[in-house]
């Protein structure tokens, strides 16, 4: 389960598209609907493809004819980066406190769970047991999955399978056979499960070490056949695949999507650790003079650069069956990248894509390998995946631009179709939207782009841009083609770096035939908290908003989308009715409330058949005058609200759980019953329309 930490600035409450923007915009004609607006192709707001770090001409998407050509380009960029590193540090002075493991840096070193950041959203709900995925039919990484009959839970290195009555049908270990050597070790915990058509696909990732303490970071996939008519072996392993393996320090980012029987695994591979061997402050170098260091380091570079390049090529091109693949699907390294490396602006990374699916007819795995080079940045690549296409946004090292590559999907094959660039960075996939064949993208510079695939180019056909200064508008989204939603936050003294002290959710219908938005309608009373979650429901006719505040608790509101703005429906529901503030002559005691929905949208559920909203909460009584007492009042569980489309939101019930770290907080609606997951327990409550007694409680062992 993700740790709860709320950043000082609210980043990317997911809409169909979100960004940090100013409070005023202009729309170029019918651009946001996707119609051409007469914008010339040389519009300065669209960076020329000649400025893209991937640009080497029309053949950039064609890939390499041979892996030897790929290795030659890798060697050239390694030489450029290595020489730049040597020249930049040869006059450095090292002392006893210098890092002997190397101090060359740049880009992102630490592993990043892509689902932990920028995940607030405004999106339509999917099926009641599929989790709160952004795009129907495209499953995101999740430790809980269901096919509507059974529940699958990833817990450490084990897969737990239960029916909806709490009967545990299988407990499957993914731990490989252990070597006889006591030094050998492995810990590859499950990171996601996908289920489709009686095939369960499980992803795991972690370090593996052999008896010589040679360690790698490995991403592994397990494919299981499900047959619950076979009571002795309801789950059978069909295939185990090593999706990717490399130096544990060269592996900062992993994400995945599942579409039907096809799974896409995206891994950002950073080969930069080889540069550490050139670090000025290593023991071999730190006592040398500048000239001696330069000579020794250049000799080491010349001697080893070819083997370094060969290792990268082998790592990138190795298929899931362990055999070398063609390099035809690896986009070419450009001259611009080599030039940037020679000026020590950035080092190259690769986004490695593995696409695979199990063919039940041939009893075999179909797979393809792809890779995209990009210059290392503190931002990860951004993915926007639909059932038909994948758009990959590659940030520039300094954040002033983003390169876009579009693939179309044909089974496990990804076919590169178009490339483009936009000004500014893209902080999450929720800043990207597709509508009627057009991409709508919002960047960190406050610019809204509408792009269309024209040949091999993603061409600008419309834009909306920031016009003036004002309060920080850090959330913005599109609903279909006619509505615009944003979250405005004011800051003390106008300093954008300070913690926002209030929020205002504004709804802006816009007339696409004119050059400006229509009147605004603010919702001040829903948005006094520092954290805000918004989700559209009922075919984007209504919006649910959840606000969290340190002193006012949690507020839930329902709003109807009208031609004139966002209209509140009934009264707001505040958690003070559940957790009342207690005031005496000597003290005031109030409840502190947090919720995973602010960092993990899978935690939020709206069930359209029963008209229930289910929100996980962690609440405890904050009493500064009784800190020494051990009588802590708290609730870890779910608050359940009724949604009446005519009367608004009312509190219904709560379901309590024990606090723990086994499970992410999530809920499902199965045959009208509510199933909730939190900590180390799974609960089923009778009938979400009436909420009677508990039907089951399954306590899990944390592995």
């Amino acid at each position: 389960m993700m740790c709860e930490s709320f950043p000082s600035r609210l980043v990317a409450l997911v809409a169909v598209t979100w960004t940090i923007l100013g409070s005023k915009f202009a729309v170029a004609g019918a651009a946001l609907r996707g119609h051409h607006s007469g914008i010339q192709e040389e519009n300065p707001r669209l960076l020329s493809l000649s400025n893209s770090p991937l640009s080497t001409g029309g053949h950039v998407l064609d890939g390499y004819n041979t892996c030897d050509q790929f290795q030659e380009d890798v060697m050239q960029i390694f030489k450029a980066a290595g020489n730049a590193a040597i020249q930049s540090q040869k006059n450095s002075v090292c002392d006893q406190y210098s890092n002997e493991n190397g101090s060359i840096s740049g880009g992102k070193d630490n592993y990043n769970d892509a689902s932990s950041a920028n995940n607030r959203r405004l999106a339509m709900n999917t099926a009641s047991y599929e989790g709160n995925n952004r795009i129907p039919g495209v499953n995101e990484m999740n430790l809980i999955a269901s096919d509507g009959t059974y529940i699958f839970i990833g817990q450490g290195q084990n897969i737990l399978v239960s029916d909806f009555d709490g009967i545990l049908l299988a407990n499957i270990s993914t731990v490989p056979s252990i070597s006889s050597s006591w030094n050998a070790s492995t810990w590859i915990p499950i990171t996601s499960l996908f289920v489709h058509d009686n095939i369960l696909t499980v992803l795991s990732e972690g370090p593996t070490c052999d008896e010589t303490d040679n360690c790698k970071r490995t991403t592994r996939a397990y494919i299981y056949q499900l047959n619950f008519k076979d009571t002795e072996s309801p789950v059978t392993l069909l295939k185990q695949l090593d999706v990717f393996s490399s130096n544990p320090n060269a592996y900062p980012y992993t994400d995945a999507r599942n579409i039907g029987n096809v799974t896409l695994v995206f891994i950002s591979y950073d080969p930069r650790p080889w540069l550490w061997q050139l670090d000025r402050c290593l023991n071999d170098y730190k006592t040398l003079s500048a000239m001696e260091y330069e000579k020794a380091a250049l000799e080491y570079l010349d001697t080893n650069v070819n083997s370094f390049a060969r290792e990268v090529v082998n790592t990138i091109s190795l298929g899931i069956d362990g055999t070398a693949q063609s390099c035809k699907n690896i986009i070419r390294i450009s001259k611009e990248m080599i030039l940037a490396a020679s000026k020590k602006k950035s080092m190259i990374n690769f986004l490695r894509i593995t696409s695979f699916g199990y063919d039940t007819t041939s009893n075999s795995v179909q797979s393809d390998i792809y890779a995209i080079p990009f210059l290392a940045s503190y931002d990860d690549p951004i993915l926007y995946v639909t059932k038909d296409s994948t758009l990959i946004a590659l940030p520039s090292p300094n954040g002033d631009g983003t390169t876009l590559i579009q693939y179309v999907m044909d089974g496990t094959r990804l076919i590169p179709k178009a490339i483009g660039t936009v000004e500014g960075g893209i902080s999450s996939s929720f800043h990207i939207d597709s509508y009627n064949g057009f991409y709508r993208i919002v960047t960190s510079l406050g610019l809204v782009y509408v792009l269309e695939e024209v040949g091999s180019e993603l061409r600008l056909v419309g834009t909306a841009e920031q016009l003036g200064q004002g309060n920080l508008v850090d959330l913005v989204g599109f609903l279909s083609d006619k509505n615009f939603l944003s979250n405005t936050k004011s800051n003390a003294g106008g300093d954008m770096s300070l913690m926002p002290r209030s929020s205002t959710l504004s709804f802006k219908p816009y007339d696409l035939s004119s050059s400006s938005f229509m009147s605004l309608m603010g919702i001040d009373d829903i948005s006094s908290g520092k954290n805000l979650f918004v989700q559209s429901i009922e075919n984007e006719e209504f919006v649910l908003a959840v606000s969290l505040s340190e002193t006012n608790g949690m507020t839930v509101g329902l709003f109807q989308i009208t031609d004139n703005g966002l209209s509140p429906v009934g009264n707001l529901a505040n958690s003070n009715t559940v957790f009342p503030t207690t005031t005496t002559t000597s003290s005031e005691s109030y409840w502190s409330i947090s919720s995973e929905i602010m960092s993990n949208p899978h935690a939020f559920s709206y069930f359209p058949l029963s008209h229930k909203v289910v929100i996980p909460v962690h609440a405890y009584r904050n009493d500064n005058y009784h800190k020494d007492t051990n009588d802590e009042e708290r609730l870890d569980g779910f608050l359940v609200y009724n949604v009446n489309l005519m009367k608004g939101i009312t509190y219904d019930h709560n379901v309590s759980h024990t606090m723990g770290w086994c499970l992410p907080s999530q809920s499902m609606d199965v045959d009208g019953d509510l199933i909730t997951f939190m900590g180390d327990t799974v609960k089923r409550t009778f009938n979400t329309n009436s909420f009677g007694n508990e039907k089951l409680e399954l306590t899990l062992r944390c592995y």
Side-chain angles (χ1 to χ4, degrees):
M1 186 174 67
M2 298 179 187
C3 297
E4 289 195 316
S5 61
F6 299 115
S8 60
R9 63 185 182 88
L10 184 58
V11 226
L13 166 59
V14 170
V16 188
T17 316
W18 296 112
T19 194
I20 298 177
L21 295 173
S23 59
K24 295 182 180 179
F25 293 83
V27 179
L32 294 176
R33 182 175 283 146
H35 296 172
H36 291 273
S37 58
I39 297 177
Q40 297 181 359
E41 295 179 18
E42 62 271 16
N43 188 303
R45 286 299 182 190
L46 183 69
L47 298 181
S48 166
L49 283 180
S50 63
N51 293 328
S52 166
L54 283 176
S55 175
T56 56
H59 63 283
V60 63
L61 298 177
D62 294 339
Y64 288 96
N65 293 324
T66 68
C67 287
D68 288 340
Q69 292 177 342
F70 178 36
Q71 181 172 326
E72 179 64 28
D73 279 357
V74 173
M75 189 167 60
Q76 290 299 319
I77 201 166
F78 277 12
K79 284 182 178 179
N83 184 66
I86 292 169
Q87 299 306 319
S88 68
Q89 61 179 325
K90 68 179 181 180
N91 294 314
S92 299
V93 177
C94 300
D95 56 31
Q96 59 179 326
Y97 301 107
S98 298
N99 178 11
E100 295 185 359
N101 292 321
S103 59
I104 298 174
S105 62
K108 182 178 290 187
D109 291 322
N110 298 325
Y111 174 74
N112 175 57
D113 180 356
S115 64
S116 67
N118 302 330
N119 274 355
R120 299 172 201 158
R121 69 179 57 200
L122 187 147
M124 292 181 62
N125 233 70
T126 52
S128 297
Y129 60 84
E130 291 182 350
N132 198 17
N133 293 310
R134 180 185 182 193
I135 299 175
V138 180
N139 296 309
E140 302 163 4
M141 294 184 75
N142 201 338
L143 287 172
I144 299 172
S146 177
D147 60 358
T149 305
Y150 302 97
I151 301 170
F152 306 88
I153 300 171
Q155 197 178 31
Q157 298 185 106
N158 286 62
I159 307 163
L160 305 181
V161 184
S162 167
D163 63 15
F164 288 127
D165 292 322
I167 300 175
L168 193 63
L169 303 175
N171 185 347
I172 306 156
S173 174
T174 62
V175 179
S177 58
I178 301 297
S179 167
S180 59
S181 171
W182 66 273
N183 284 325
S185 64
T186 180
W187 174 249
I188 312 181
I190 294 169
T191 57
S192 190
L193 305 95
F194 305 113
V195 59
H196 174 76
D197 197 19
N198 291 321
I199 296 293
L200 175 67
T201 302
V202 179
L203 299 180
S204 63
E205 182 176 287
T208 58
C209 301
D210 61 22
E211 55 273 9
T212 64
D213 287 333
N214 178 31
C215 297
K216 293 185 176 182
R217 190 173 187 89
T218 299
T219 298
R220 187 167 287 162
Y222 304 87
I223 300 176
Y224 296 90
Q225 176 72 58
L226 304 176
N227 180 10
F228 292 98
K229 293 181 179 179
D230 184 350
T231 57
E232 293 186 0
S233 301
V235 183
T236 304
L237 179 64
L238 297 174
K239 297 289 182 179
Q240 175 181 311
L241 313 171
D242 280 347
V243 176
F244 193 73
S245 185
S246 75
N247 184 311
N249 294 315
Y251 208 145
Y253 161 94
T254 303
D255 203 351
R257 298 290 187 273
N258 172 261
I259 305 167
N261 69 330
V262 176
T263 299
L264 301 171
V265 181
F266 303 85
I267 295 174
S268 178
Y269 169 58
D270 181 359
R272 184 162 34 92
W274 72 269
L275 275 174
W276 297 347
Q277 306 303 319
L278 304 175
D279 193 278
R280 180 72 172 91
C281 296
L282 290 175
N283 283 335
D284 291 343
Y285 299 137
K286 68 180 181 180
T287 60
L288 302 180
S289 67
M291 292 183 62
E292 290 171 336
Y293 160 73
E294 181 181 21
K295 179 181 178 182
L298 287 173
E299 287 178 355
Y300 180 88
L301 178 62
D302 290 341
T303 302
N304 294 281
V305 67
N306 189 58
S307 62
F308 290 147
R310 184 168 59 251
E311 179 183 348
V312 169
V313 171
N314 292 339
T315 300
I316 291 292
S317 62
L318 192 66
I320 61 174
D321 56 358
T323 61
Q325 302 290 304
S326 163
C327 293
K328 185 69 176 176
N329 294 330
I330 299 174
I331 287 181
R332 292 172 178 258
I333 297 171
S334 69
K335 295 178 180 178
E336 290 82 359
M337 288 184 177
I338 298 175
L339 180 62
S342 69
K343 295 181 178 180
K344 207 175 183 299
K345 289 186 176 181
S346 184
M347 180 51 188
I348 195 171
N349 281 10
F350 294 91
L351 182 65
R352 199 334 247 272
I353 309 169
T354 305
S355 174
F356 65 91
Y358 184 77
D359 186 345
T360 55
T361 302
S362 63
N363 192 31
S364 63
V365 175
Q366 308 296 320
S367 67
D368 290 284
I369 303 298
Y370 304 85
I372 304 171
F374 65 97
L375 295 176
S377 167
Y378 282 95
D379 295 318
D380 291 319
I382 302 299
L383 314 173
Y384 180 79
V385 182
T386 69
K387 291 192 290 186
D388 302 315
S389 65
T390 295
L391 185 71
I392 298 173
L394 303 169
S396 66
N398 56 9
D400 62 353
T402 300
T403 299
L404 305 166
I405 298 179
Q406 180 200 27
Y407 289 87
V408 295
M409 300 178 62
D410 180 13
T412 61
R413 294 182 61 224
L414 298 180
I415 304 168
K417 291 290 290 184
I419 186 172
T421 57
V422 292
E423 232 183 315
I426 301 174
S427 60
S428 84
S429 64
F430 309 120
H431 292 197
I432 303 174
D433 170 49
S434 60
Y435 184 78
N436 283 352
F438 295 84
Y439 286 110
R440 300 187 291 198
I441 296 174
V442 188
T443 73
S444 58
L445 298 180
L447 304 174
V448 184
Y449 291 95
V450 180
L451 302 168
E452 179 188 19
E453 176 194 338
V454 180
S456 61
E457 180 183 348
L458 291 174
R459 185 173 298 174
L460 179 70
V461 295
T463 185
E465 59 184 84
Q466 182 175 356
L467 294 181
Q469 301 298 320
N471 291 332
L472 177 65
V473 180
D474 61 349
L475 311 176
V476 56
F478 297 96
L479 297 173
S480 299
D481 68 340
K482 62 182 180 179
N483 296 315
F484 175 89
L485 188 66
S486 65
N487 173 229
T488 304
K489 309 195 83 172
S490 63
N491 293 267
D495 185 348
M496 294 303 192
S497 66
L498 298 179
M499 173 89 69
R501 61 184 181 186
S502 65
S503 307
T504 300
L505 183 66
S506 300
F507 183 82
K508 304 177 184 179
Y510 52 77
D511 183 354
L512 294 175
S513 64
S514 69
S515 61
S516 63
F517 288 110
M518 294 169 61
S519 60
L520 310 184
M521 178 173 288
I523 312 168
D524 297 328
D525 48 359
I526 184 64
S527 52
S528 59
K530 294 176 181 175
N531 295 282
L532 186 64
F533 179 95
V534 179
Q535 178 153 319
S536 66
I537 62 171
E538 302 293 337
N539 296 318
E540 298 187 350
E541 295 180 6
F542 293 84
V543 168
L544 281 168
V546 182
S547 173
L548 282 176
S549 170
E550 291 180 0
T551 56
N552 295 327
M554 184 172 73
T555 303
V556 185
L558 177 69
F559 304 91
Q560 185 173 12
I561 299 173
T562 71
D563 292 338
N564 297 318
L566 211 56
S567 176
V569 179
N571 296 322
L572 303 174
N574 190 274
S575 59
N576 287 338
T577 60
V578 187
F579 310 110
T581 298
T582 302
T583 303
T584 66
T585 56
S586 60
S587 67
E588 181 179 58
S589 178
Y590 61 91
W591 288 78
S592 292
I593 301 176
S594 62
S595 176
E596 286 96 331
I597 66 171
M598 296 300 172
S599 59
N600 177 17
H602 295 289
F604 178 91
S605 293
Y606 169 69
F607 302 128
L609 293 180
S610 59
H611 295 291
K612 301 285 186 182
V613 172
V614 183
I615 303 171
V617 296
H618 304 280
Y620 67 93
R621 186 180 290 278
N622 189 332
D623 188 347
N624 293 327
Y625 291 90
H626 296 85
K627 290 183 178 179
D628 296 331
T629 65
N630 295 320
D631 300 327
E632 181 183 45
E633 293 184 75
R634 67 176 298 130
L635 170 70
D636 297 295
F638 294 81
L639 299 185
V640 184
Y641 293 88
N642 299 306
V643 179
N644 186 309
L645 300 181
M646 300 296 292
K647 298 180 180 180
I649 306 290
T650 56
Y651 171 72
D652 189 289
H653 193 72
N654 74 72
V655 180
S656 63
H657 282 251
T658 57
M659 186 59 182
W661 55 268
C662 290
L663 297 172
S665 297
Q666 210 162 307
S667 58
M668 298 178 183
D669 183 355
V670 177
D671 296 331
D673 286 356
L674 176 66
I675 296 181
T676 52
F677 306 80
M678 180 181 284
D680 57 2
T681 54
V682 181
K683 291 189 175 184
R684 180 170 180 173
T685 308
F686 278 118
N687 201 321
T688 52
N689 287 307
S690 61
F691 286 101
N693 296 323
E694 290 179 2
K695 191 172 185 178
L696 70 89
E697 178 174 339
L698 177 64
T699 301
L700 306 176
R701 174 187 172 189
C702 292
Y703 291 92

